[in-house]
Amino acid sequence: MTSSRRSPGYLALYALAYGGGAVLYVPLLTLLLPLKAELIRPDDKLALLALITVGGALAASVSNIVAGHLSDRSVRLGTGRRPWVGAGLVLTLLALAAVSASRSAVELAAAMIAFQLVLNILLAPLVALAADEVPDAQKGLLGGLIGAAYPFGALAAVVVTAPASMTEGLQLALVGSAGALAILPFLFLRAPTPEQPEASAPSSRAVGRVRNLVVVTASRWLVQMASLILLAFFLFYFQSVDHGDAQLTSRDLAARIAWLPGVAAVLSVPLAIFLGRLSDRTGSRRSLLAANAAVAVAGLAVMAAFPRWEPAALGYLLFACSSGVFLALQTTYAMRILPSPDHRGRDLGFVNLANTVPSIFGPWLTVTVVTAGGFRPLMLILATITALAGLLMLVVREPATSVDQTSSRQ
């Protein structure tokens, strides 16, 4: 187990690299891929996009676990995880070029599945590096920095794809360049001197750690499900609320709500860093995560109970800020309770299923519920599963560590 503290520069470069990973996929999945699907299949774009989304999620799920496992083996052989991150970056840039060159539905689907496969060769060892190299006493702060880097990384990606005069190839080239420039400084940073891992835990303790990791993963899955559903149907929900203006057009509505995710991202940055640092100082990690889940539940409840513009916007901001902070801090929390230091990459790959599986099931749940009863019951369902996520965090019983013995008990 790593014990020496990492410098602010190290933590900042890691957070920048994490944000660079977001730059590589956020603009493609949210902006460029839907436009490409519409260009190739204008009359069947939703079906094509759904097929690519499901196929990509399955590819990402498998690739993340396999890449994490292979990087674990590299650590044991002494070569480390950084070569995998570098190889994943090169392959991801090539996959972006393949997406740009796609001219048919089959080519686009194949290129996107390949993109998800190689992207996770980059992401899986990158996440595992934090588990290897950042001590538990700083993992809360790192989670906060990750929470700060992700929205700004995504925002930077949107900026480079914004000019309407740019060709698709140039947009993807800028995305790849921005992502690479954010990741490379961390790769060239000298790796910290490896330290001896803690002694293997007794079997009963190992079983307890596995149980805890399953609970944490289930909690993350529930919050991710709520977040992804709300993101995917963000526009349609706000079309269903009362704006007090019968003449409001769809274009006007889009302009009115477009600033909400940006405001949520900006507000999340200081909140994530503050709460991450607070969790390190106090040791109250589980209770802080549960509290964030509770605020997210309150936001969803407001969106369900008051379907009018002002309270709906407030409810969305409460949910988006608190759920974003929850997911960021829980990323590094999961690193603290991994069952074995020998399999961190593989085990974090299983945790990553909580990020990919909701993309497979979430849209079907939403369409079924909204078709039957509208958005109010959907918001109540999302509030319920988010509340369950917070409760699950409270039942985790992680083993005490030397770090926790010097801080408050959770």
Side-chain angles (χ1 to χ4, degrees):
M1 181 75 68
T2 301
S3 60
S4 59
R5 296 178 68 84
R6 299 294 165 232
S7 68
Y10 174 96
L11 297 177
L13 286 180
Y14 181 86
L16 179 65
Y18 192 94
V23 170
L24 289 173
Y25 67 84
V26 170
L28 176 59
L29 298 183
T30 59
L31 297 174
L32 300 181
L33 176 59
L35 291 174
K36 184 95 173 179
E38 185 176 32
L39 180 65
I40 291 176
R41 287 279 185 88
D43 298 328
D44 204 19
K45 59 185 179 184
L46 293 181
L48 176 58
L49 189 59
L51 175 64
I52 291 173
T53 299
V54 172
L58 291 172
S61 300
V62 174
S63 177
N64 199 282
I65 295 172
V66 173
H69 173 67
L70 293 176
S71 73
D72 288 335
R73 295 187 62 184
S74 294
V75 171
R76 292 194 291 272
L77 292 173
T79 55
R81 304 186 198 271
R82 280 173 172 77
W84 285 100
V85 178
L89 176 59
V90 172
L91 292 173
T92 298
L93 297 178
L94 293 175
L96 286 173
V99 171
S100 178
S102 301
R103 295 293 179 266
S104 69
V106 173
E107 290 178 353
L108 180 60
M112 283 303 304
I113 289 174
F115 172 80
Q116 292 280 24
L117 284 171
V118 298
L119 175 69
N120 282 274
I121 294 176
L122 183 162
L123 296 179
L126 180 63
V127 173
L129 275 168
D132 292 338
E133 298 178 356
V134 179
D136 286 350
Q138 289 181 291
K139 281 191 168 74
L141 174 59
L142 181 63
L145 291 172
I146 286 174
Y150 180 87
F152 276 103
L155 182 61
V158 173
V159 169
V160 300
T161 59
S165 60
M166 284 188 184
T167 64
E168 172 201 315
L170 180 57
Q171 289 174 325
L172 287 173
L174 287 174
V175 165
S177 299
L181 288 174
I183 292 170
L184 287 174
F186 178 76
L187 289 186
F188 288 123
L189 185 69
R190 183 177 179 181
T193 302
E195 301 183 16
Q196 293 297 322
E198 63 183 3
S200 298
S203 58
S204 59
R205 180 181 171 189
V207 170
R209 281 181 174 265
V210 171
R211 186 187 305 113
N212 287 336
L213 194 63
V214 169
V215 173
V216 168
T217 302
S219 174
R220 185 178 188 85
W221 182 82
L222 293 170
V223 175
Q224 275 284 30
M225 176 75 81
S227 298
L228 290 174
I229 286 176
L230 198 54
L231 178 64
F233 293 88
F234 174 69
L235 175 63
F236 297 151
Y237 166 77
F238 278 100
Q239 284 178 341
S240 72
V241 307
D242 179 13
H243 291 265
D245 183 359
Q247 305 301 317
L248 190 69
T249 66
S250 296
R251 184 179 295 273
D252 293 335
L253 173 61
R256 170 175 283 189
I257 66 175
W259 59 272
L260 287 174
V263 170
V266 171
L267 292 176
S268 297
V269 170
L271 186 62
I273 295 174
F274 170 75
L275 291 179
R277 187 70 186 100
L278 180 64
S279 73
D280 286 336
R281 292 177 64 88
T282 66
S284 55
R285 297 175 177 90
R286 291 176 300 150
S287 58
L288 283 174
L289 286 165
N292 272 280
V295 175
V297 170
L300 291 166
V302 169
M303 295 176 73
F306 306 100
R308 300 190 301 277
W309 161 238
E310 291 85 358
L314 175 61
Y316 173 81
L317 289 175
L318 287 173
F319 172 80
C321 289
S322 54
S323 62
V325 171
F326 178 96
L327 293 171
L329 297 184
Q330 207 208 40
T331 297
T332 50
Y333 180 83
M335 297 174 187
R336 302 181 67 254
I337 59 172
L338 295 175
S340 168
D342 294 330
H343 302 290
R344 286 171 175 151
R346 181 201 65 187
D347 293 342
L348 286 170
F350 284 109
V351 174
N352 184 65
L353 292 175
N355 300 326
T356 55
V357 172
S359 298
I360 301 173
F361 299 106
W364 304 110
L365 169 66
T366 303
V367 170
T368 301
V369 173
V370 172
T371 301
F375 277 95
R376 178 172 289 182
L378 177 65
M379 294 300 110
L380 293 176
I381 290 174
L382 298 185
T384 301
I385 66 175
T386 304
L388 178 58
L391 292 174
L392 285 175
M393 289 307 306
L394 292 177
V395 304
V396 174
R397 292 292 181 266
E398 62 173 291
T401 67
S402 59
V403 171
D404 291 329
Q405 290 168 0
T406 62
S407 61
S408 300
R409 296 284 299 187
Q410 295 188 47

